[in-house]
Amino acid sequence: MTDAPCAAHAPLDGLASLPARFVAWFSARGWRPRAHQLAMLALAREGRDALLVAPTGGGKTLAGFLPSLVELAREGGGCGIHTLYVSPLKALAADIARNLETPIREMGLSVRIAVRTGDTSPAQRARQRRRPPDILLTTPESLALMLSYPDAAERFRGLRAIVLDEVHALAESKRGALLALGVARLRSLAPDARIVGLSATVADPDALCRYLSPEPRSVALVRGEAGAPPEVEILIPDARMPWAGHYATHAAAAILELVRRHRTSIVFVNTRAQAEVLFGLLWRLNEDNLPIALHHGSLDAEQRHKVERAMARGGLRAVVATSSLDLGIDWGDVDLVVQVGAPKSVARLLQRIGRANHRLEEPSRAVLVPANRFEVLECLAAREALAEAALDGGAIVAGGLDVLAQHVTGVACAGPFDADRLYEEVRRAAPYAALARSDFDAVLDFVATGGYALGGYERYRRLVRGSDGLWRLADPRLACRYRMNIGTIVEAPVMHVRLGPRGRRLGEVEEYFVSTLAPGDTFLFAGRLLEFVGVREDEVVVRAAKRARDPKVPTYAGGKLPLTDTLATRVRRILATRERWPQLPAPVREWLEAQIRRSSAGEAEELLVETFPRRGRHFLVAYPFAGRNAHQTLGMLLTRRMERLRLAPLGFVASDYCIAVWGRVPIERPEELFTADLLADDLEEWMAESTVLRRAFRNCAVVAGLVERRLPGREKTGRQVTMSTDLLYDVLRKYEPDHVLLRAARAEAAQGMIDLGRLSDLLNAIQGRIRHERLSRISPFAVAIIAGIGKEFVGGEALDQELEAAVAELLAEAMA
């Protein structure tokens, strides 16, 4: 962001601003209020917005709520919602509510709190509307839902404070765009409410201050005192490190030993498939029957809640988890975090490490477990970045037009609106600060009519303009359908998994995975070995399997975490700094030394490109370190250009670190492939022909309400949704190629699926800086990527086993 920075705030000393009963409560616990907690109290008295950046264990959440509790203690509650707290996770909102009950009860405060999320029962919701709590805890989706009711203005008119927790986790996503629009609406309804952002991992405070307020200078930046630096180790069991692989199966016994030596551990992995495989391995090795659980987003909600309750009461020794447990749930008994696989992001790693040891004065302990040799370098880079407090991320991207369409519909559900006023309100939300009026009008026209190509169909007409100039719903029944489909998270088509025809639900797997199964096939899911029985309506019926040789593992679209620029740059720096190599772990040092004997490790600002023949084919392997998404796109574009240059391409494979393409003709001049105009020549044509834009359009059409997943009394299957969006995509591309949702789909694909900005930066940076190594055989660096050819659809332990066999064969060539 280019806005002026937010204003730093000097913490206050003394307890004069804290009422006696609060001072007594702190004293009874042997605590003293921290400086940043008192600073937040002073800012609240001034009515100032604030961003609090404080480490885990520093009383950040209490600092956010302390001013509200003091105000409610002095003035009394019962006058409507005083404080609205917004969390990225339902589980976090529930956990914070439980934690808040303690000081309220122990100080004898007459303060009522309630949670409003997708898990809140209809009876509880009705009770909250009849008798609003003083403090309401919710999520971005539930906030959008509440703002869509006609009584929203009355409900939030007396709001005094809005607390956005883990604000960094929301600000960079489509959920963050939806939340920013909701906060802009709340500012209009309750202009005197102060806004507070809470975060432990902030790379760009100025950007977050702008996210909180259209006037970032008015936002006070409060920094909590630094905690003890984390202790981070890198585990290489028995000095053995695979050349390739993703699951770190070689380290399972060592991970179990770590669990055995600690009180409670969270074992983080990067994908749901990794979670299933590692949990299965640990359970097979767990001869002591240590209580170990599994937690990821595709498990049944009740199963997840059961694990969370067990962790809260100290009933587990370990839980294997994905990002479903990344954020601030406070489990004080956790004394170790294990990160299996490279972390991919410094900020994410810091967030995960913060789950261990919620005590500011004591260091959190973490162990990183790389799955292959490239990942060792990434883990080293991440540890160094942590030590230097060099976080990544923090940029606020432009808000999607599909999210804006959803918001405009929600505003209409609450009552008639004036387009000019709504436009000005929307632009106060940071992701839409640069929104052109023409784009706003195009979104409004889409919500009202469906757009030029769809305007003749009554079903797409959602708004009408009255004689008073105000826009309102064309049919009041549309409000119900809108509320059933709120949200920006669009999962791939999934099916429920049920244990037996009448058994309990275990969770969800994607339809594509189910299409690969035949009766009798086995797969790992929910920590169980299951046998596929068949499909009944939208459910996958399974039974427990006794044994299987190579069970499949469900994979999920979009499940892989991208490598950030910060880590990529640091990895390249390690490779280019030879004097550091003697301090590296022995397997990695030997690998690097073998590489420079046969090829090169490249310089930090160069693109290393290797070409070599193998088994009648000619390979090119490049090492951009630009992340899997950018490399996948690069592979598509390179093979298209190779066709034009008559290089007869046969295929490509990509990882976070490198890309390999191969064909029938030698590639003599790689610089002819990696030109800056590669995107201009081929990107648009490739995107139009590929499924990338179709997938992005599907997401945008669902978010914008063009296609509804849930209807009164029924829910569309994923296949039905895809068929509808594919049909609409073809119609709009033919008759209205500039339709607002096609534009939204292109922007979404560029930002996420193809990582266009990063790829463009790469191509510009490497012009004149390509180091071409012509080799007679495969290099040690290339072994990992070439070993993965033909194994894209192999999963679980079988993948690591097949890669190990392939590596052995390739090493014989590379080291000859």
Side-chain angles (χ1 to χ4, degrees):
M1 305 293 290
T2 58
D3 297 279
C6 42
H9 186 82
L12 298 179
D13 295 320
L15 304 178
S17 57
L18 203 59
R21 76 166 88 180
F22 286 80
V23 175
W25 179 77
F26 275 98
S27 298
R29 289 182 157 244
W31 298 346
R32 284 180 59 82
R34 298 188 183 275
H36 60 268
Q37 294 170 334
L38 296 174
M40 296 297 286
L41 199 59
L43 289 166
R45 287 201 306 273
E46 299 171 13
R48 294 275 303 278
D49 298 335
L51 170 63
L52 171 59
V53 181
T56 300
K60 178 173 73 269
T61 305
L62 180 58
F65 281 104
L66 189 59
S68 297
L69 294 177
V70 169
E71 289 175 9
L72 287 165
R74 283 176 173 157
E75 303 168 12
C79 298
I81 301 172
H82 175 285
T83 297
L84 181 73
Y85 165 93
V86 184
S87 155
L89 300 176
K90 293 182 287 187
L92 179 56
D95 184 66
I96 295 298
R98 284 191 298 269
N99 293 341
L100 264 183
E101 291 284 4
T102 300
I104 289 172
R105 183 181 64 254
E106 293 179 351
M107 284 188 280
L109 303 178
S110 298
V111 175
R112 295 176 53 252
I113 64 175
V115 177
R116 175 67 163 84
T117 69
D119 293 338
T120 307
S121 70
Q124 290 173 310
R125 296 178 193 179
R127 190 158 54 247
Q128 291 170 9
R129 295 183 73 176
R130 287 195 307 271
R131 190 183 173 211
D134 301 305
I135 299 176
L136 182 63
L137 300 96
T138 190
T139 60
E141 293 75 19
S142 290
L143 172 60
L145 182 64
M146 290 185 285
L147 287 171
S148 75
Y149 284 98
D151 65 351
E154 179 64 27
R155 192 175 195 181
F156 293 110
R157 184 178 58 185
L159 196 62
R160 301 272 294 277
I162 303 165
V163 180
L164 309 182
D165 202 357
E166 306 288 4
V167 65
H168 68 280
L170 287 166
E172 300 175 46
S173 66
K174 291 181 79 166
R175 292 183 80 207
L178 181 66
L179 176 59
L181 291 168
V183 170
R185 177 115 282 243
L186 287 173
R187 280 191 180 274
S188 296
L189 300 178
D192 294 330
R194 55 187 175 81
I195 296 183
V196 173
L198 306 177
S199 179
T201 52
V202 176
D204 186 351
D206 293 345
L208 278 189
C209 286
R210 174 59 188 93
Y211 182 81
L212 295 175
S213 170
E215 299 176 5
R217 281 193 177 277
S218 69
V219 180
L221 175 62
V222 180
R223 291 189 181 274
E225 61 184 281
E231 296 175 355
V232 182
E233 301 174 21
I234 297 174
L235 176 67
I236 301 181
D238 302 323
R240 175 173 174 256
M241 179 51 57
W243 288 63
H246 306 286
Y247 290 94
T249 54
H250 71 287
I255 294 169
L256 184 61
E257 182 57 32
L258 288 171
V259 170
R260 188 178 286 114
R261 296 205 311 260
H262 290 81
R263 186 170 59 246
T264 307
S265 305
I266 301 180
V267 182
F268 280 112
V269 294
N270 292 337
T271 69
R272 286 166 277 190
Q274 286 176 306
E276 293 284 354
V277 170
L278 182 59
F279 177 79
L281 280 170
L282 293 177
W283 198 249
R284 290 206 304 272
L285 296 170
N286 185 15
E287 296 178 355
D288 297 334
N289 285 321
L290 301 176
I292 300 174
L294 176 67
H295 193 289
H296 62 71
S298 291
L299 297 179
D300 184 69
E302 180 49 41
Q303 176 63 23
R304 297 198 305 272
H305 296 161
K306 183 179 177 181
V307 171
E308 291 159 12
R309 291 191 295 268
M311 283 291 283
R313 66 172 183 269
L316 294 175
R317 292 293 298 276
V319 58
V320 179
T322 59
S323 55
S324 59
L325 290 184
D326 271 6
L327 300 175
I329 298 176
D330 187 1
W331 291 324
D333 286 340
V334 175
D335 57 343
L336 178 69
V337 161
V338 180
Q339 167 66 45
V340 180
K344 304 303 173 190
S345 160
V346 183
R348 183 182 300 110
L349 178 59
L350 180 60
Q351 188 78 47
R352 290 181 169 184
I353 292 175
R355 307 282 63 78
N357 185 24
H358 278 230
R359 287 172 289 279
L360 188 65
E361 298 81 7
E362 300 177 20
S364 299
R365 181 156 186 264
V367 176
L368 310 185
V369 186
N372 59 59
R373 299 182 183 212
F374 272 120
E375 287 197 352
V376 175
L377 299 178
E378 187 182 332
C379 288
L380 287 166
R383 184 169 67 177
E384 292 172 5
L386 278 180
E388 299 169 18
L391 301 184
D392 40 27
I396 298 176
V397 298
L401 300 180
D402 55 332
V403 179
L404 179 58
Q406 183 179 125
H407 178 71
V408 169
T409 308
V411 171
C413 291
F417 67 87
D418 176 79
D420 293 337
R421 290 181 180 175
L422 182 59
Y423 173 62
E424 292 304 320
E425 178 184 291
V426 163
R427 292 183 66 224
R428 289 199 287 270
Y432 296 93
L435 179 72
R437 181 59 194 251
S438 58
D439 287 335
F440 176 83
D441 289 340
V443 169
L444 180 59
D445 179 64
F446 158 71
V447 176
T449 68
Y452 167 75
L454 303 176
Y457 299 90
E458 189 69 31
R459 60 182 297 186
Y460 299 120
R461 296 178 186 171
R462 289 180 279 176
L463 302 182
V464 294
R465 193 177 189 186
S467 57
D468 56 2
L470 302 181
W471 292 88
R472 48 181 49 83
L473 285 182
D475 185 337
R477 292 174 295 184
L478 292 170
C480 176
R481 294 169 66 159
Y482 164 82
R483 293 175 187 132
M484 294 179 70
N485 291 277
I486 281 176
T488 61
I489 300 174
V490 183
E491 299 282 2
V494 295
M495 300 182 73
H496 298 292
V497 179
R498 188 177 292 279
L499 189 61
R502 296 180 180 81
R504 67 184 183 89
R505 281 186 175 180
L506 300 178
E508 298 172 334
V509 295
E510 292 188 0
E511 283 184 4
Y512 174 78
F513 175 73
V514 178
S515 71
T516 69
L517 299 175
D521 283 351
T522 58
F523 64 98
L524 292 172
F525 184 68
R528 299 165 177 256
L529 180 61
L530 303 173
E531 180 184 335
F532 176 62
V533 175
V535 173
R536 186 186 64 183
E537 296 178 351
D538 66 337
E539 291 189 329
V540 180
V541 180
V542 299
R543 59 179 167 228
K546 294 183 179 178
R547 61 171 62 97
R549 183 176 179 183
D550 288 317
K552 298 182 178 182
V553 182
T555 56
Y556 298 83
K560 291 184 172 67
L561 301 173
L563 175 71
T564 63
D565 271 332
T566 297
L567 283 180
T569 300
R570 287 175 174 269
V571 169
R572 286 197 298 269
R573 204 175 295 155
I574 292 173
L575 288 173
T577 311
R578 292 264 201 99
E579 50 270 28
R580 290 197 53 184
W581 292 7
Q583 286 76 49
L584 298 177
V588 176
R589 184 176 64 249
E590 294 162 5
W591 170 60
L592 295 180
E593 290 170 349
Q595 170 68 17
I596 60 171
R597 283 197 298 270
R598 288 155 178 79
S599 176
S600 166
E603 298 297 326
E605 304 302 323
E606 289 180 336
L607 175 65
L608 173 62
V609 176
E610 300 171 334
T611 55
F612 53 86
R614 184 173 188 268
R615 295 186 174 179
R617 296 178 179 180
H618 296 273
F619 287 81
L620 177 150
V621 181
Y623 303 87
F625 293 90
R628 185 181 303 270
N629 288 348
H631 290 170
Q632 291 276 9
T633 306
L634 181 60
M636 294 286 189
L637 298 178
L638 288 177
T639 52
R640 290 180 71 90
R641 178 158 288 188
M642 287 171 67
E643 286 176 357
R644 288 214 307 272
L645 296 175
R646 299 183 179 180
L647 295 175
L650 296 173
F652 77 92
V653 64
S655 73
D656 268 326
Y657 312 112
C658 56
I659 177 173
V661 296
W662 60 94
R664 296 190 180 94
V665 179
I667 301 171
E668 300 294 344
R669 296 178 55 81
E671 60 272 19
E672 293 180 352
L673 298 178
F674 293 91
T675 59
D677 62 1
L678 182 64
L679 299 180
D681 287 352
D682 296 295
L683 180 66
E684 190 67 30
E685 185 179 347
W686 166 68
M687 286 180 66
E689 294 173 359
S690 74
T691 61
V692 170
L693 268 185
R694 286 185 183 273
R695 288 206 314 272
F697 180 81
R698 175 183 179 276
N699 295 346
C700 293
V702 170
V703 169
L706 183 65
V707 174
E708 295 164 327
R709 291 172 291 180
R710 289 174 286 273
L711 298 167
R714 66 187 181 93
E715 184 171 342
K716 290 182 179 180
T717 66
R719 187 175 291 112
Q720 288 171 328
V721 170
T722 301
M723 288 175 62
S724 298
T725 56
D726 280 353
L727 178 62
L728 288 165
Y729 175 78
D730 290 335
V731 168
L732 293 178
R733 275 200 65 212
K734 183 175 181 180
Y735 295 105
E736 194 178 354
D738 196 41
H739 190 277
V740 67
L741 288 193
L742 288 178
R743 287 194 280 144
R746 292 188 193 101
E748 176 164 317
Q751 286 176 7
M753 297 176 182
I754 65 173
D755 214 346
L756 181 59
R758 197 165 176 186
L759 182 54
S760 176
D761 291 343
L762 166 70
L763 291 172
N764 288 323
I766 63 173
Q767 298 309 305
R769 296 178 177 179
I770 295 176
R771 177 191 288 257
H772 181 196
E773 297 287 346
R774 294 176 175 85
L775 308 178
S776 60
R777 59 185 183 271
I778 189 172
S779 74
F781 273 12
V783 164
I785 192 75
I786 301 302
I789 294 174
K791 300 173 182 63
E792 294 82 359
F793 300 104
V794 182
E797 292 176 73
L799 175 58
D800 278 5
Q801 291 165 2
E802 290 195 20
L803 285 172
E804 190 170 353
V807 163
E809 179 183 349
L810 291 165
L811 280 179
E813 300 175 24
M815 299 303 189

